Structure formats: structure tokens, C-alpha cells
Amino acid sequence: MLYLVHGRATPMTRSLILYIILLHAFTGAYAQLQQPYILNGSATQRNCNCYVLTEDVPNQSGTIWNKNLIDLRQSFNYVFEINLGCKDGPGADGIGFILQTKGTNLGATGQGLGFKGISPSLGVLVDTYQNLEENDPPWDHLAIQMNGVSDHLLPGGDLAPPVMLADGNENIEDCGWHLFRIEWNAATHTMRVSVDNNVRITINKDLVADIFGSNPMVYWGFAGSTGGSSNVQQFCAALHPSFNFNGGQIFCDGTPVTFKDNSSSFGSITRWYWDLGDGTKLTVPAPPPHLYAEAGKYAVKLVIEDNSGCISDTLRNTVTIGSYPEVKFGPQPLCLGDPLQMKDETAIKVGTAAKWSWDFGGGRTSSAQHPIAPYTAPGSYPIHLEVVSAEGCASDATQTMSVFPTPEIGGIGRNACIGQDNIFTGTNNTPAINIARWYWSIGEDTLWQKDVAYRFPAGGKYSARVHAISQDGCAAKPVNMQVGVTDINVRAGRDTLIAKGQPLQLNAQADGEDLHYQWTPAAGLDNPYISDPVAVLQKDQLFNLVVTSPEGCREEDQLFVKVYTGPEFYVPTGFTPNHDGVNDYFKVIAPGVPKLDFFKVWDRWGHLVFETSALSAPWDGTIKGDPAAAGTYVWMVQGTDYNGRLFSRRGTVTLIR
């Protein structure tokens, strides 16, 4: 079963519905038969306490009048909810709360909102359409007018000029429901109109004497109309379940909770239905102080019924019964040299910490969750902390915290040669503070020692960081350093061949500056202590090169020089290109001939099968990519020797397969 309230369908629990039905089957039905309103025009009843004045249709007019006269010599406080539809620009027109003496069959369409022309009368008008001929402002507005005059500039019309319905909000046609309250104080002749609990208009006027000709008995009701534009326009007699708590109420395990009914209704509330979320159900205006069995979150529900038999929707609200905080804080130890950052480590099983009160002694306090302790000297200090949860549950604890000095350290890193270890040494600059642990961060490695040796894989610059922790647990500020690894990377050059007496320019290469070179043996060299000496040799020679850096790093390399009698071309008489790695190529060796003009090979019919001008390019025994036939081939080679003399040879070679 669904009860429709304010246009919304609200499911209730089966037990609550059955309870309401059994208890009020007859009284509810009787109250519905005793409907106090008379409906005119397009007005319809949507549910027990809600009415539609106009549907979203042009040129409609609806009025709803309470058939019972009220006495303006008595104060009243009427609370409604109003809904002016969802269409802003093309929407219209608005509704009015009206007091009048003419009867219960009044109303009109169009811009007058069903109020225009009714006299004597007082209208609290909610106008959602700008009628220029009525001198309306451009925004949705609220005004109090009298005697059926809806034009804001006509004499005898406005008792209170137009104001925006909601401060800063020009549009009330927002599909939402808005609380609309009209309060009349008969003793002071004061009328106050509120929208969504904000007072928008207040007037002081003797309504009985000044408007109704000393007649205090008037009808009240709502009127609404549409013209060329339209909107659904409706109101509900307020029926709001609500509850709150005594001031200072705490919601803690073991503390009773006192619920205070704060419900509001247009009529009088006749019945209350409470579900306190732990199986407790009550039908009293306000439950007695209630003690929950344990901390937790409880879904509390409240339904109310008024004297017309209307039943509200279900108010659902979660009440949290909190646990008492388990107060704890740290860290331990506290170390001088850095801010003494305290950390609240309090645990609350149910609830949320909201307030912290720290007492560090000597009148020094803090309300931060994680404050900085004010101590500047080593020692032991009692620290007190009280934590209060959002539910009002308070606990405290006192801990004695130790404050220790922080060591200061240094470090030394020594450069090394490639292939050797870099040596790192930690130093304690505060000998009075004992160091319990040292460790080094080098690359991705951590070495747990005071002094370490570390070998880097290549030359270059590297960073290292030394750490230390005192026996009291205080970490020194780490120290960074950079070390170098020297890699000379010496290259004496490629092995080569020359003719006897031919000058050979050596050209060693190495990385670094201010390097020292030494070639041995020195015989045949013009200067054995430079990187690029000139050698003149009469026989084969193996040179050894030693290069030393300013740091004392030493590296060696070798170079072999083959010496031929020459200038001359040395050409083999045969080759076997079978890819066995032995004698697969036909090539020329040319000691003393640095430049080759050509090297050519012809078959026995005189066809050129190979040609090159590069000393390093041999014939592989193919012709245009195909294997050449076995047999005898003719060759010729020509070049210029190191003295500039043209030099050539010719002969034959046998290709063997």
C-alpha cells in the first residue's frame, strides 16, 4: 500500500501500515467525509491534504475555500507547501492566499490570480508571470494587496510592494515544493509572510477595521489561474514530521537519548508513530529517554497524523550512538632538529573525532589534530590529550613523551678507477650522541654499514647518500655526495701493415684530460710519450701503449704492425670460395701503397668479372651474384706508393671448387 503525500509516493513498513489501519480505520474515513474545503472551477483534491488549483492548461481558474469562517480577533499561524510547476518562461500565472467575506464560490481566470475584483479582501499573492499592464516586476514575486486590486500602481492596492520570493532567486517555478507560512498576530495587528523559513514581508494593519468594515469573520482559501500561459499550480496543508534533541544532548554508548517532537501541521497533530530503529515502537508525542543497547547507527522513523485524518510521509533519520574514543598519540621518540610533529592515533569504533585538546604543560595548548610540540630541549614531558567525537563522546589520556637530540653526520666518498671499488666512509659530527645504525643509499642498493666499498659498472659521476639513526631512534639529516669513476677507455688503433721504411702515423684515442702516454718499445718512434707518434719500421712490431690519468688510473692497449718489403703488391695464385673460412677470398696485399687505382679480374674470354679501387675489398668468387666457374682468371692491379710513384702488377689466379 502507498500513501501519497505532497504528490510523492512513500512506502511504509507493513507493520506500521497495519497498525495505522487497525487503529484508525473508522476515524480516518469519517474525517475524509468531513472535508472542510469547497472546491470550485478547475480545483481538484490530489490526496488527503494536497490540492491542485490549475493543471498545466491555459485559461483555467480554481479556488479552494475553507467553509468555516475564522475570527480575525484570534491569531493564527498557517503553514502550507506550494508548488508552482516546472515551466519558467512560458509558465503562468501564480496563486494567492485570500481572506474575504463574499462566500465560497468565487474565482476568475487570467492575470488576477482569482483575486482580482473580490472586495473587501486581502490577498497574499505569489505571482510567477510578468504582466506589464499590472506593473509586475520581471521576477517571480510576493506581494500583499487588498480589495481585489492586482495592479501594483493603482491606489488602494498594495499593502506591501512586490519582493522577490526567495532572496537572490528569480524563479520559483522549479518543480520544487516551498514552505509558505502566514502568521497573524491579532493583538499587534501584524501579518508576517515567510517563504522557506525566510521572512519576506511584514505589515501592520488592523484588518478588521481597515478592510472588512469591522466584521472579524472571514473566509480563507487559495485561488489560482492561468491565461495564455500555464503551469500545474498546487498547495498542501503542511503535515511535517520532525524531531530534534535537547540542547547539550550527547549521543554516546550508555547515555539515554531524549527525542523532542518538532513536527508541524496546518491542523492539530493527533497521533505520532515512532520507530526508534532498535525494535522499539511508540505512539506518544515524545518518547521517554531511550537507552540503546550498544553503539551503532540506528534508522529512526516518525509518522504523524492530523485532526483531518491525513497521514504524513515517513521521516527517516539516522541517529548515531557513538563509541568513546580510545585516545592514543605519538610518535615516539620526538627528535630535536626537526619540527616535533605530533600525530593523533585515536580510534573510534562508531563515530568521528571532531575536537582535540592538547596540553603540553606550562600553559601551552593546541586544538589542532596533529600539532607541533613546543619543546626545545631534551627531556621527558607529560602530554595530555582529550578527544571529543561529533556525537559528544569524550575521552582523554596522558602519555610521557621523550625528546632526544638528533645527531649530525657527514660522509666521504672517494673516486676510483674503472674496475675498482669506490670507498665510502660515514662520520659522526656529534660524538656525544651514539649512532645505532648506519646505512648508505647508492643507486638502487642499500648498504647497512658505516663504511662501505661499492663498484660501479661504468665510468662517470655517481651520487650516494649516507644515513644514520641514533640509539634513541632519532634519524640524522642525510648527507649527499658525488663520486667519480675514471674510465680512460684507451684505444691504440687497428692493426695494420706497411712497407719497410714507410712512415706510419699512429693515432691513439682515450677519454679524459691531462693524460700521460707511453709507447713501448720506443725504437722507430719519433716520440713515445704522445698519443700520435710517427713510426718508421724495418720489421714487424707489436707496440704496447700505457695511458695514465691524473688520478693515477692506468690502462693498456696493443697495436701490431706487419712490415713487408715494398712498395709491392702481394697476390695469391689461387683461392677456394667454398665458405669454409679458409682462403675464401681473392685479395691484394699492398704494403707501401696507400692508394689503389684499380684491382681488376677477367675470365679467359676477356670478360671483366670484378673491379674495385678499395684495398679492403676482395673478390668472393661470384659474377653478378652467381658462383664463378672453376678455372684460371687474369688479374691486374695498379696504385701509387707512398713516394708518389705509379706502381702496377699483373698475373693469373686459379679458382678452385
Side-chain angles (χ1 to χ4, degrees):
M1 179 179 292
L2 298 177
Y3 283 83
L4 295 176
V5 179
H6 301 181
R8 300 180 294 276
T10 305
M12 293 186 178
T13 62
R14 184 182 301 274
S15 61
L16 185 58
I17 293 173
L18 291 176
Y19 183 77
I20 295 170
I21 291 173
L22 291 174
L23 189 61
H24 304 291
F26 297 105
T27 58
Y30 178 78
Q32 294 298 324
L33 292 174
Q34 297 299 312
Q35 173 59 252
Y37 298 106
I38 295 174
L39 282 60
N40 301 296
S42 61
T44 57
Q45 184 176 11
R46 176 152 291 179
N47 54 57
C48 184
N49 62 322
C50 293
Y51 300 85
V52 176
L53 293 166
T54 69
E55 298 289 354
D56 189 5
V57 177
N59 300 312
Q60 284 205 333
S61 174
T63 58
I64 299 175
W65 303 104
N66 192 291
K67 62 186 179 182
N68 300 308
L69 291 166
I70 61 171
D71 187 346
L72 291 179
R73 292 170 298 187
Q74 303 295 322
S75 300
F76 63 78
N77 183 356
Y78 289 168
V79 183
F80 306 93
E81 282 187 302
I82 58 174
N83 185 302
L84 283 301
C86 301
K87 292 159 48 178
D88 183 16
D93 273 323
I95 64 175
F97 173 84
I98 303 170
L99 302 177
Q100 50 86 16
T101 59
K102 295 298 184 180
T104 57
N105 60 349
L106 307 178
T109 61
Q111 61 192 22
L113 307 182
F115 166 74
K116 190 172 184 179
I118 300 177
S119 182
S121 65
L122 178 141
V124 180
L125 304 184
V126 179
D127 196 335
T128 60
Y129 189 84
Q130 185 183 18
N131 289 294
L132 298 179
E133 59 271 30
E134 297 274 287
N135 295 295
D136 286 340
W139 21 263
D140 296 349
H141 58 278
L142 176 72
I144 300 179
Q145 295 175 271
M146 59 184 288
N147 296 332
V149 178
S150 56
D151 189 323
H152 296 295
L153 295 183
L154 282 179
D158 281 355
L159 292 176
V163 297
M164 198 174 292
L165 276 159
D167 191 18
N169 182 7
E170 297 185 0
N171 175 39
I172 201 171
E173 298 159 288
D174 55 6
C175 301
W177 288 89
H178 297 271
L179 200 64
F180 186 55
R181 182 186 296 270
I182 301 170
E183 299 173 84
W184 167 245
N185 187 315
T188 62
H189 298 160
T190 302
M191 177 172 283
R192 186 167 62 179
V193 181
S194 304
V195 178
D196 293 331
N197 292 318
N198 294 309
V199 177
R200 305 303 295 155
I201 290 178
T202 300
I203 64 170
N204 290 97
K205 192 172 185 62
D206 186 345
L207 303 185
V208 176
D210 297 343
I211 297 179
F212 296 109
S214 300
N215 178 10
M217 306 305 294
V218 298
Y219 294 102
W220 69 267
F222 276 93
S225 64
T226 61
S229 300
S230 61
N231 246 331
V232 175
Q233 301 181 128
Q234 52 192 320
F235 78 94
C236 296
L239 188 60
H240 287 286
S242 178
F243 61 84
N244 55 16
F245 304 94
N246 290 327
Q249 171 75 65
I250 65 172
F251 301 87
C252 301
D253 189 12
T255 301
V257 177
T258 300
F259 293 87
K260 293 179 64 177
D261 176 54
N262 194 37
S263 302
S264 60
S265 171
F266 177 79
S268 60
I269 303 173
T270 57
R271 292 182 176 85
W272 293 258
Y273 309 99
W274 295 86
D275 182 342
L276 301 187
D278 62 349
T280 302
K281 293 180 173 58
L282 302 168
T283 57
V284 294
H290 185 70
L291 181 63
Y292 286 93
E294 59 183 0
K297 296 181 182 293
Y298 297 90
V300 177
K301 302 173 186 177
L302 173 61
V303 176
I304 60 174
E305 181 180 352
D306 69 7
N307 59 346
S308 68
C310 294
I311 299 172
S312 73
D313 55 355
T314 302
L315 171 68
R316 292 175 171 83
N317 205 345
T318 298
V319 174
T320 299
I321 304 301
S323 304
Y324 282 90
E326 299 175 10
V327 178
K328 182 181 178 184
F329 54 89
Q332 185 69 279
L334 295 172
C335 300
L336 296 173
D338 290 321
L340 304 182
Q341 181 71 65
M342 303 297 298
K343 183 179 180 182
D344 170 47
E345 299 172 346
T346 299
I348 304 178
K349 293 179 181 179
V350 180
T352 305
K355 293 193 298 184
W356 297 263
S357 298
W358 296 81
D359 187 344
F360 296 104
R364 296 167 294 185
T365 62
S366 175
S367 59
Q369 182 179 7
H370 307 296
I372 302 297
Y375 309 119
T376 58
S380 295
Y381 300 91
I383 299 176
H384 181 81
L385 171 61
E386 181 184 61
V387 179
V388 182
S389 71
E391 293 71 34
C393 310
S395 298
D396 63 346
T398 299
Q399 294 177 214
T400 298
M401 304 291 287
S402 297
V403 178
F404 295 105
T406 299
E408 297 179 6
I409 60 170
I412 300 172
R414 294 179 176 83
N415 297 331
C417 304
I418 189 71
Q420 298 177 354
D421 292 336
N422 291 74
I423 304 301
F424 297 93
T425 303
T427 59
N428 183 0
N429 298 334
T430 48
I433 303 174
N434 293 326
I435 303 296
R437 285 185 295 166
W438 293 85
Y439 66 97
W440 290 82
S441 300
I442 305 176
E444 296 182 356
D445 296 323
T446 301
L447 307 176
W448 294 89
Q449 294 167 315
K450 177 178 179 291
D451 304 323
V452 300
Y454 192 85
R455 182 170 298 184
F456 294 97
K461 297 293 185 181
Y462 294 92
S463 297
R465 174 180 287 191
V466 61
H467 309 257
I469 301 174
S470 72
Q471 65 179 9
D472 301 314
C474 293
K477 184 178 180 179
V479 176
N480 296 317
M481 65 201 68
Q482 192 175 65
V483 295
V485 176
T486 301
D487 184 1
I488 300 174
N489 192 24
V490 61
R491 287 91 67 196
R494 297 180 62 181
D495 294 347
T496 188
L497 57 85
I498 60 171
K500 289 181 180 180
Q502 176 186 355
L504 174 63
Q505 177 70 64
L506 303 181
N507 188 17
Q509 296 183 359
D511 299 334
E513 298 179 356
D514 300 325
L515 301 176
H516 178 265
Y517 293 82
Q518 183 174 7
W519 296 84
T520 56
L525 299 178
D526 63 344
N527 185 349
Y529 302 109
I530 60 176
S531 63
D532 53 352
V534 176
V536 179
L537 303 176
Q538 302 300 318
K539 62 179 181 178
D540 297 349
Q541 183 63 61
L542 176 64
F543 287 106
N544 189 67
L545 172 63
V546 176
V547 180
T548 306
S549 74
E551 298 85 4
C553 298
R554 182 178 183 275
E555 292 186 24
E556 299 184 25
D557 197 18
Q558 292 182 326
L559 171 66
F560 179 71
V561 182
K562 178 71 175 177
V563 179
Y564 288 87
T565 300
E568 187 57 86
F569 292 115
Y570 294 92
V571 183
T573 58
F575 73 111
T576 57
N578 57 3
H579 307 294
D580 64 354
V582 179
N583 200 25
D584 285 328
Y585 299 98
F586 177 49
K587 59 184 178 179
V588 60
I589 298 174
V593 183
K595 182 177 181 299
L596 189 65
D597 294 332
F598 63 82
F599 176 34
K600 298 181 180 181
V601 180
W602 295 268
D603 64 15
R604 58 182 177 174
W605 293 286
H607 299 131
L608 183 65
V609 298
F610 175 75
E611 180 180 18
T612 186
S613 59
L615 283 168
S616 60
W619 182 38
D620 62 359
T622 63
I623 301 174
K624 296 181 180 180
D626 296 324
T632 301
Y633 292 81
V634 177
W635 58 266
M636 182 175 180
V637 61
Q638 177 178 298
T640 302
D641 68 14
Y642 67 89
N643 292 315
R645 180 171 62 90
L646 190 65
F647 188 71
S648 65
R649 292 285 187 271
R650 69 175 61 206
T652 61
V653 62
T654 301
L655 190 157
I656 304 170
R657 290 199 182 277

